[in-house]
Amino acid sequence: MGGCCSSAEKEIPEKKHNRHQLNQRRSFSIQQAPPAVGVAEAVSEVPAFSEFSFADLKAATNGFSSENIVSESGEKAPNLVYKGRLQNRRWIAVKKFTKMAWPDPKQFAEEAWGVGKLRHRRLANLIGYCCDGDERLLVAEYMPNDTLAKHLFHWENQTIEWAMRLRVAYYIAEALEYCSSEGRPLYHDLNAYRVLFDEDGDPRLSCFGLMKNSRDGKSYSTNLAYTPPEYLRNGRVTPESVIFSFGTVLLDLLSGKHIPPSHALDMIRGKNILLLMDSHLEGKFSTEEATALMDLASRCLQYEPRDRPNTKDLVATLSPLQTKTSVPSHVMLGISKHEEAPVTPPHPLSPMGEACSRMDLTAIHQILVMTHYRDDEGTNELSFQEWTQQMRDMLDARKRGDFAFRDKDFKTAIDCYSQFIDVGTMVSPTVYARRSLCYLLCDQPDAALRDAMQAQCIYPEWPTAFYMQAVALAKLNMNSDSADMLNEAAGLEKKRQNGGRGT
């Protein structure tokens, strides 16, 4: 049984464009950055940058389970990246830094906030961070369709077609130009593993590369053959260094292999274009476009930083090369568009589950009346000193709420249960569940959802809390999330029957 989360950590979603985003963490609103010139923004669904608790992220990643690791090097990576899912159903990517990578929490937070202000449709945006003791973590949007490295070097069904490779180059150039225009021109260790594909198959640049892996650590972890020459000389990353690294990504796109820049430049200078090109394309590319891309790569890989193009030049060169602009990225990648279909519960539903699945509020009411407070056992440990007059008044308010709830006087029940909750001496998941139903019967699904989430916060594995969220989500027309929540509730009930806490 967990303690009660504060109301600041469990915010109710605001209605915006008919979408309801649940946010259970401390949130600090920041002004979105203006869009890059000539690029329409589509970042309205990205939550405001915020601070997460370590407990939130631990729960989201199943205790940082090895099964949730999505880092390319697996458990061998120095800073692991985990896939996770927040209580609000949002998928996230969590980068967990090694101990003492950023010893000064203030410095880490300032760096994270600097990156967190960026919002662009070509970025896998940073949505939060965590500084808890010596733990340092970053939280970003989760991209479900793997990395450019996976699609180029380790593909299974089909290689990336030529038009899609040009799109990748263009979109990442747009991301770099946006970051540069917002005063964040440095990107550490840009490579094919930093390019991610979102649910629509569109390529995005990982925000994690906008921060170093440690305060005093290296900016490049790849083979020295791919490192900008000036970095080898002085150990400093400059905007021109980022352009050099972008050139290595262009080589990857051209060749389908991760070949050293010096070797590729020799082939380019020798006009061995066909030798450099990826044989898996089977000649299905424009020689003119390939030549233009090779020329750009060659300019990016110039030894002298001043001889390299800037990010505006990248965008200007790549824009005219775009073809098949009306074809969705997921089609060109040969993947299914990521959609969360309604989930059918794999377990037989209990009477409570059946009532919630058909949104029978009358049946839910009868079940909650019959269940009474037997699931509240163990949620409160009160000392003798806490049995004050205030305590007696609070319990009296709950009792009056129970009578009103039984008699279906739901507005009075809300008032009485609110008195009990506002005192805060005791926490009761059942009171939250009952008040949640009252709100539903009074046509206030937002408030109902908030209470159901609070009930789960107090008792994280209580099926009733999940069932009530399922009903509230359905009332808010979030049917896929509702079905998912119903499935989780059914799974928890099954777990109970197999030896968990009984009803």
Side-chain angles (χ1 to χ4, degrees):
M1 301 289 289
C4 182
C5 292
S6 70
S7 59
E9 292 175 315
K10 283 280 194 176
E11 298 174 359
I12 192 65
E14 295 182 5
K15 291 185 178 180
K16 185 175 183 182
H17 306 303
N18 295 322
R19 292 187 65 85
H20 304 264
Q21 295 180 332
L22 321 182
N23 191 342
Q24 99 262 17
R25 58 194 181 275
R26 297 182 296 278
S27 181
F28 305 93
S29 178
I30 60 173
Q31 186 176 2
Q32 283 192 351
V37 177
V39 180
E41 290 307 293
V43 292
S44 59
E45 296 178 13
V46 181
F49 186 78
S50 59
E51 182 180 3
F52 288 78
S53 73
F54 186 73
D56 286 341
L57 300 182
K58 186 176 181 180
T61 57
N62 293 323
F64 297 104
S65 166
S66 59
E67 294 181 0
N68 286 48
I69 295 174
V70 292
S71 311
E72 291 291 341
S73 302
E75 294 183 79
K76 296 178 182 178
N79 300 286
L80 299 179
V81 178
Y82 297 84
K83 174 184 177 180
R85 199 172 196 185
L86 296 171
Q87 200 172 20
N88 66 9
R89 322 308 304 145
R90 176 181 288 277
W91 288 103
I92 55 172
V94 181
K95 181 172 182 176
K96 193 171 188 284
F97 289 86
T98 53
K99 300 289 183 184
M100 301 309 293
W102 292 85
D104 184 350
K106 182 179 179 182
Q107 186 181 37
F108 179 78
E110 287 175 351
E111 281 289 311
W113 274 96
V115 176
K117 291 177 182 177
L118 302 177
R119 286 290 180 269
H120 197 276
R121 62 177 178 165
R122 304 299 183 222
L123 287 175
N125 294 283
L126 192 68
I127 61 175
Y129 77 105
C130 172
C131 276
D132 192 335
D134 59 358
E135 298 287 355
R136 305 286 183 265
L137 304 100
L138 295 177
V139 185
E141 295 178 287
Y142 177 68
M143 302 290 112
N145 284 312
D146 293 316
T147 65
L148 177 60
K150 174 73 179 293
H151 287 282
L152 270 182
F153 311 141
H154 311 293
W155 54 274
E156 296 174 0
N157 299 319
Q158 68 178 61
T159 189
I160 304 179
E161 67 172 270
W162 177 246
M164 187 63 197
R165 298 186 191 209
L166 292 172
R167 183 175 294 181
V168 170
Y170 180 48
Y171 281 16
I172 300 310
E174 284 189 320
L176 292 174
E177 163 57 11
Y178 167 74
C179 293
S180 182
S181 70
E182 292 299 314
R184 305 286 306 197
L186 302 184
Y187 194 94
H188 305 277
D189 207 10
L190 175 60
N191 57 60
Y193 293 96
R194 299 286 200 182
V195 179
L196 314 171
F197 292 90
D198 65 18
E199 62 274 9
D200 297 318
D202 286 330
R204 301 211 211 174
L205 183 64
S206 169
C207 63
F208 291 151
L210 291 163
M211 279 182 67
K212 289 199 296 185
N213 282 331
S214 65
R215 183 190 63 181
D216 303 316
K218 296 178 180 179
S219 293
Y220 286 87
S221 59
T222 52
N223 188 300
L224 294 180
Y226 304 92
T227 304
E230 65 275 13
Y231 181 78
L232 296 177
R233 292 197 300 267
N234 56 36
R236 291 179 60 247
V237 176
T238 65
E240 292 78 17
S241 307
V242 180
I243 301 297
F244 184 95
S245 296
F246 183 77
T248 68
V249 175
L250 293 181
L251 292 182
D252 294 341
L253 291 166
L254 285 162
S255 67
K257 299 182 285 291
H258 197 41
I259 58 177
S262 58
H263 182 52
L265 286 172
D266 287 340
M267 285 192 282
I268 292 173
R269 293 187 189 105
K271 306 296 183 183
N272 294 322
I273 293 178
L274 293 179
L275 191 61
L276 178 64
M277 293 300 295
D278 188 353
S279 60
H280 293 110
L281 288 170
E282 298 178 341
K284 297 175 183 177
F285 60 88
S286 159
T287 303
E288 183 181 347
E289 291 166 357
T291 301
L293 204 63
M294 285 187 184
D295 178 63
L296 182 60
S298 178
R299 291 164 55 205
C300 291
L301 296 169
Q302 291 298 304
Y303 183 83
E304 290 296 336
R306 64 175 177 271
D307 294 333
R308 300 169 197 159
N310 59 34
T311 53
K312 288 185 183 296
D313 296 329
L314 301 181
V315 173
T317 302
L318 291 165
S319 179
L321 301 180
Q322 300 308 299
T323 58
K324 293 191 176 183
T325 53
S326 62
V327 181
S329 294
H330 70 90
V331 173
M332 285 201 278
L333 278 178
I335 60 175
S336 300
K337 185 172 180 179
H338 182 78
E339 293 180 354
E340 291 196 20
V343 181
T344 302
H347 311 294
L349 291 175
S350 65
M352 181 65 164
E354 290 286 357
C356 289
S357 67
R358 63 178 187 269
M359 296 177 66
D360 187 342
L361 301 186
T362 301
I364 296 171
H365 173 255
Q366 292 173 346
I367 292 169
L368 288 178
V369 169
M370 292 172 59
T371 305
H372 203 54
Y373 285 91
R374 63 188 181 196
D375 281 325
D376 278 17
E377 181 184 350
T379 58
N380 298 279
E381 296 180 5
L382 300 172
S383 66
F384 178 77
Q385 288 80 3
E386 288 178 298
W387 287 98
T388 61
Q389 182 62 45
Q390 184 186 47
M391 186 70 179
R392 287 191 287 272
D393 291 342
M394 182 182 65
L395 291 173
D396 181 62
R398 190 182 75 173
K399 190 173 184 179
R400 286 184 283 110
D402 291 340
F403 283 131
F405 184 79
R406 183 194 63 190
D407 296 337
K408 301 183 180 180
D409 182 359
F410 299 116
K411 290 187 177 179
T412 299
I414 289 173
D415 291 339
C416 294
Y417 286 145
S418 296
Q419 291 175 33
F420 172 85
I421 289 169
D422 290 344
V423 173
T425 305
M426 288 179 65
V427 290
S428 167
T430 298
V431 167
Y432 278 112
R434 288 183 168 213
R435 194 173 71 168
S436 176
L437 179 63
C438 293
Y439 280 131
L440 285 171
L441 288 158
C442 294
D443 196 27
Q444 299 181 58
D446 285 322
L449 181 59
R450 181 195 300 118
D451 274 2
M453 291 172 70
Q454 287 286 4
Q456 182 192 347
C457 186
I458 300 167
Y459 187 171
E461 295 193 353
W462 190 34
T464 299
F466 287 80
Y467 279 134
M468 295 308 300
Q469 288 181 62
V471 178
L473 288 165
K475 287 283 188 180
L476 292 166
N477 295 318
M478 297 177 68
N479 296 319
S480 178
D481 285 331
S482 174
D484 201 8
M485 196 66 73
L486 196 69
N487 185 31
E488 287 203 41
L492 288 170
E493 282 193 321
K494 182 70 174 177
K495 182 179 177 181
R496 271 187 170 194
Q497 293 168 8
N498 293 338
R501 178 176 171 175
T503 54

